Amino acid sequence: SQQGEEDPQALSIQEGENATMNCSYKTSINNLQWYRQNSGRGLVHLILIRSNEREKHSGRLRVTLDTSKKSSSLLITASRAADTASYFCATDPPGGGGNKLTFGTGTQLKVEL
Amino acid sequence: DTGVSQNPRHKITKRGQNVTFRCDPISEHNRLYWYRQTLGQGPEFLTYFQNEAQLEKSRLLSDRFSAERPKGSFSTLEIQRTEQGDSAMYLCASSPSWETQYFGPGTRLLVL
């Protein structure tokens, strides 16, 4: 079963704009991760935020985590056509040891020239 | 570091046939994971190995599914008596620790 849900399901923006996608989850977590998947291919790890962190940056990526609301957001600034992909959040429950990531349903991002 | 590789990349089979997929993890990664992904959904956890020991299995992994990791290196996932509902992308991932998982390109299975 899917732990989380991403919102929106699909997002279309122009190159240079910012893209924000949200993830909600159901149970307590040890950490939350974001992955990118290009069409029909494997997943690429983007960023990990621990349950005791509220915000994290990596290049053009900014992730926030609100454990009280059981939600996270991923912001991609100054988007590029190459950012076109599906984005998934994945949660690692306490005691899970990172062995059993539970993924959301994903947001399909399309960045148009 | 050549990344996680999976073979075959695509497999078409008839219902009732057995299929086997192979995953070669990044060398020295002692953890290996299998996931299944259907169209429009996120990956779902199937099973996890630490070295050669299979430490966790999802209830999604029915009796028709078996996974092995002999010698703690490559892993195989076998599906016996395939059903149309088994059609999906099968993803393998490996990791050196309990955090970031590195995914392979996946094996896309179509059961006719």
Side-chain angles (χ1 to χ4, degrees), chain A:
Chain A
S1 63
Q2 308 283 202
Q3 154 77 306
E5 291 186 2
E6 279 88 340
D7 169 51
Q9 289 188 336
L11 179 61
S12 183
I13 60 173
Q14 298 294 311
E15 196 173 47
E17 294 181 338
N18 296 341
T20 299
M21 51 204 87
N22 304 295
C23 166
S24 60
Y25 56 92
K26 299 173 185 174
T27 64
S28 58
I29 60 171
N30 191 39
N31 65 60
L32 185 143
Q33 306 179 40
W34 284 90
Y35 285 82
R36 183 187 73 219
Q37 184 177 36
N38 291 87
S39 179
R41 306 184 70 176
L43 285 84
V44 174
H45 182 264
L46 296 176
I47 195 166
L48 179 151
I49 186 165
R50 293 185 174 83
S51 60
N52 61 353
E53 297 176 311
R54 291 297 167 257
E55 187 171 315
K56 202 161 183 180
H57 297 255
S58 176
R60 295 184 296 114
L61 305 180
R62 172 178 170 257
V63 170
T64 62
L65 178 64
D66 187 336
T67 53
S68 67
K69 295 181 179 179
K70 291 186 171 58
S71 67
S72 174
S73 67
L74 172 67
L75 168 67
I76 304 174
T77 60
S79 63
R80 305 166 181 168
D83 294 329
T84 294
S86 292
Y87 291 81
F88 295 91
C89 65
T91 53
D92 174 24
N99 302 328
K100 188 178 177 180
L101 292 181
T102 305
F103 286 82
T105 52
T107 291
Q108 288 188 323
L109 173 65
K110 183 175 182 181
V111 181
E112 300 185 83
L113 296 171

Side-chain angles (χ1 to χ4, degrees), chain B residues 9-25:
Chain B
R9 294 292 308 277
H10 303 273
K11 179 71 177 179
I12 300 175
T13 191
K14 293 181 179 178
R15 189 176 53 185
Q17 297 293 306
N18 299 342
V19 294
T20 300
F21 310 140
R22 175 177 170 130
C23 170
D24 287 89

